Amino acid sequence: MTDMILVTGASGNLGSATLAALWARGAAATGGSRTPKDGMRRLDFDDRSAIDLAGVSTLVLVSTGYAEDDQVIGRQAAVLDAAVRDGVRHVVYTSLIGAGDHLGFALAHRATERFVRACGLPWTILRNGLYAELFGGLLMWTDDGMESAFGDGALAAVTRADLAEAAAVVAADPARHGGRTYDLTGTPITAAHVADRLGVPHRTIGLGEYRRRLLDETPGMLPFQPPMLVSIATGIRHGFLDGTGPDLADILGRPASDPLDTAVAASAATRPQAVG
């Protein structure tokens, strides 16, 4: 039987990038999504009876996220149950960096890690650092520069492309990485680094003001998102997310990409035309 890799969340940013990285390596891989493109499988984790992983040898389970913990954990438990039922031979789960245990969305990751380790299948857990794209995108533009609640704190940010490539490397040769938990972090960067590169000043705001803006001035914000984003801000601000390590470079076989370039590009993309 041909080894087939299936990447969940293939319509999302990390899932689609992981699938592309697998194809670039010549791997037999497909994607699964609630809204699949041609050739992908339809996977709706809220419809347990319809989850079909038949013929899949390696499952790359990209965290579903973007919901309350009970919903996320339920979805990921459902797909792991299907993996056991359908004969998947290895599970690769994209989790959250170990230093992120205090973050508002950590519990769903840690609960899923428990399920992964207990499901009886060979597994690998990729504890992803926070995206450089996210860091840059969370900086807020003002008339004369930018603001954030990050203070002078640094984030060991990672580019989404590096995380996708790491997932592809592991999924393409899963036996080599069986039973391993990797912390995938990059070079620490600060809001001031981004602002300096863009030639503008950076001003720190308080966490209370940041929370108020999220609640009062951010259309479309879901109820669980403001505390999640504030937890990221306070974690960076107070030095809990600046630790780095060798795992990412070891998996990639090269140094990690410079996250500052990516964070700057993400921040510049949100810059109002009137600024500058």
Side-chain angles (χ1 to χ4, degrees), residues 61-130:
L61 176 55
V62 177
S63 175
T64 56
Y66 302 109
E68 297 287 356
D69 286 345
D70 55 347
Q71 190 172 11
V72 173
I73 293 167
R75 288 170 175 168
Q76 294 175 174
V79 75
L80 288 168
D81 287 345
V84 173
R85 179 198 67 208
D86 291 342
V88 171
R89 301 200 297 273
H90 197 107
V91 175
V92 179
Y93 175 57
T94 64
S95 188
L96 172 69
I97 189 69
D101 275 344
H102 62 285
L103 295 176
F105 49 101
L107 188 146
H109 284 291
R110 300 299 177 247
T112 304
E113 288 184 11
R114 288 183 180 180
F115 292 151
V116 168
R117 292 188 176 100
C119 74
L121 301 176
W123 55 266
T124 307
I125 292 170
L126 304 179
R127 286 183 161 180
N128 290 346
L130 298 187

Side-chain angles (χ1 to χ4, degrees), residues 71-244:
Q71 190 172 11
V72 173
I73 293 167
R75 288 170 175 168
Q76 294 175 174
V79 75
L80 288 168
D81 287 345
V84 173
R85 179 198 67 208
D86 291 342
V88 171
R89 301 200 297 273
H90 197 107
V91 175
V92 179
Y93 175 57
T94 64
S95 188
L96 172 69
I97 189 69
D101 275 344
H102 62 285
L103 295 176
F105 49 101
L107 188 146
H109 284 291
R110 300 299 177 247
T112 304
E113 288 184 11
R114 288 183 180 180
F115 292 151
V116 168
R117 292 188 176 100
C119 74
L121 301 176
W123 55 266
T124 307
I125 292 170
L126 304 179
R127 286 183 161 180
N128 290 346
L130 298 187
Y131 300 148
E133 292 89 342
L134 174 67
F135 185 76
L138 290 177
L139 298 173
M140 297 169 287
W141 287 97
T142 66
D143 290 340
D144 59 353
M146 56 176 42
E147 296 178 337
S148 80
F150 299 145
D152 297 327
L155 171 68
V158 196
T159 68
R160 189 181 284 112
D162 274 3
L163 293 174
E165 184 180 339
V169 169
V170 171
D173 188 11
R176 182 180 176 188
H177 303 278
R180 297 290 302 274
T181 298
Y182 295 107
D183 276 325
L184 305 183
T185 53
T187 305
I189 59 174
T190 68
H193 290 150
V194 176
D196 287 349
R197 182 76 69 84
L198 291 167
V200 299
H202 168 259
R203 186 177 76 87
T204 296
I205 63 170
L207 292 166
E209 170 62 12
Y210 183 46
R211 189 186 299 269
R212 186 198 66 76
R213 293 185 190 182
L214 292 171
L215 291 169
D216 298 343
E217 300 176 7
T218 313
M221 188 71 57
L222 297 173
F224 68 90
Q225 289 179 310
M228 178 188 76
L229 292 170
V230 171
S231 75
I232 292 173
T234 188
I236 294 171
R237 184 183 186 118
H238 296 106
F240 283 88
L241 295 170
D242 58 359
T244 191

